Amino acid sequence: MIDMPANWMEKIQHVDWSKVKAAVADYGPVLSVLRQTWSKESLLEISQGKLFVPDDVINDAIAKQMTDDGAVTEVTIKSHENGRLDITANTKKVGPVEVSGEIKEFVHQGDSSYAVYRVRSKNIPNHGLMSWVFSRISLSMAERLVGHMEMPDNLPVTVHHNTVRVDYSKALAASDFGKTEYQGHRLIDMIEIEGATPKEGGVEFDTKLNVPDDVKQALLAVLTSDTSTSGEDGADSTSETDASAQ
């Protein structure tokens, strides 16, 4: 968790990202990437040190990675309050394959990004299938925090006995979020993931936000401008908010 100024937190809570796009031309691609990656709600949670991602959000991200011609037709996760993560993979050849386990580590810090899972069995059958499944689960879990990542052909996955380790650092570095900088600061250095714990209905990530002062001031300037613009709109901006809430 990072100690954020009160006015920063207030701006995050009240910003309308739909209006921020008007300032993107002035601040370059960084704001566009930020808007694609974080909603104001998720940014607020990340800044407070915890981000809860529901299972259905993760499962939707996994589904978007499926192809019609693949050997696996569907992968879903189900999180539980006791920290267990149930995984079901539907395959064309053998039908559903079910495993259950725990997230031992889920880390992103600078150029180091990886996840470690322990499956509740002595040895994992079919290493190829488990590598395929856990690689997609890892990228889908991280998507809410660091944006969409394309699945590379050679994502490093290590399976040893009942432990699976997925290194997604290169996939993140190749993504829009990984390639974007602002005033010499990389976006991937502004957020850290320190762990992930399955809860009932979703996964809770332990996060840390490291926003340099110059970037913070630039973003606050945009949010301040956005807020003042909304105020000038008066009734029009209020009706627009009401309409979106219906």
Side-chain angles (χ1 to χ4, degrees):
M1 180 174 177
I2 188 169
D3 185 18
M4 305 294 287
N7 64 337
W8 168 270
M9 301 298 290
E10 183 180 355
K11 294 299 182 184
I12 292 175
Q13 293 182 57
H14 293 91
V15 66
D16 180 354
W17 285 136
S18 66
K19 296 182 181 298
V20 174
K21 62 184 178 182
V24 171
D26 294 332
Y27 288 88
V30 61
L31 287 178
S32 178
V33 172
L34 287 174
R35 288 179 60 251
Q36 293 170 14
T37 305
W38 296 329
S39 65
K40 63 180 180 180
E41 292 82 10
S42 63
L43 179 57
L44 182 60
E45 289 186 61
I46 291 169
S47 70
Q48 293 175 334
K50 299 286 184 182
L51 176 67
F52 183 79
V53 182
D55 286 343
D56 58 357
V57 172
I58 298 172
N59 287 331
D60 182 61
I62 297 173
K64 291 176 180 177
Q65 299 182 33
M66 298 291 106
T67 59
D68 295 336
D69 57 351
V72 180
T73 59
E74 182 182 30
V75 175
T76 56
I77 68 163
K78 184 175 178 59
S79 305
H80 299 279
E81 188 61 39
N82 62 0
R84 294 289 287 272
L85 185 72
D86 295 339
I87 301 167
T88 302
N90 289 321
T91 68
K92 292 180 178 179
K93 288 187 176 182
V94 298
V97 176
E98 298 179 352
V99 295
S100 182
E102 304 155 337
I103 303 174
K104 301 302 294 181
E105 297 180 75
F106 205 105
V107 174
H108 164 64
Q109 187 173 23
D111 294 320
S112 178
S113 310
Y114 64 90
V116 179
Y117 306 88
R118 185 173 69 184
V119 176
R120 305 292 292 186
S121 62
K122 195 168 185 179
N123 288 293
I124 296 176
N126 196 330
H127 285 197
L129 174 61
M130 290 298 100
S131 295
W132 193 96
V133 168
F134 279 104
S135 63
R136 280 151 181 80
I137 290 175
S138 299
L139 266 60
S140 298
M141 282 187 177
E143 189 167 294
R144 187 71 178 270
L145 293 98
V146 293
H148 177 70
M149 292 174 278
E150 295 292 338
M151 177 63 62
D153 295 331
N154 57 345
L155 188 72
V157 181
T158 304
V159 180
H160 183 68
H161 297 309
N162 67 337
T163 300
V164 182
R165 187 182 191 277
V166 180
D167 186 334
Y168 65 95
S169 55
K170 290 183 178 180
L172 175 53
S175 69
D176 288 342
F177 192 86
K179 292 185 292 186
T180 300
E181 296 184 5
Y182 180 72
Q183 295 185 355
H185 303 293
R186 302 188 308 172
L187 290 187
I188 59 173
D189 293 327
M190 296 184 196
I191 182 173
E192 294 182 15
I193 307 173
E194 299 177 330
T197 305
K199 304 283 187 178
E200 190 63 36
V203 179
E204 183 179 77
F205 292 86
D206 297 319
T207 61
K208 184 177 180 182
L209 201 59
N210 301 314
V211 182
D213 288 341
D214 54 345
V215 176
K216 191 185 303 179
Q217 292 305 316
L219 292 175
L220 280 174
V222 173
L223 302 187
T224 301
S225 173
D226 174 56
T227 302
S228 63
T229 301
S230 299
E232 291 171 0
D233 290 343
D236 290 341
S237 62
T238 301
S239 63
E240 182 177 291
T241 302
D242 292 341
S244 64
Q246 293 177 354

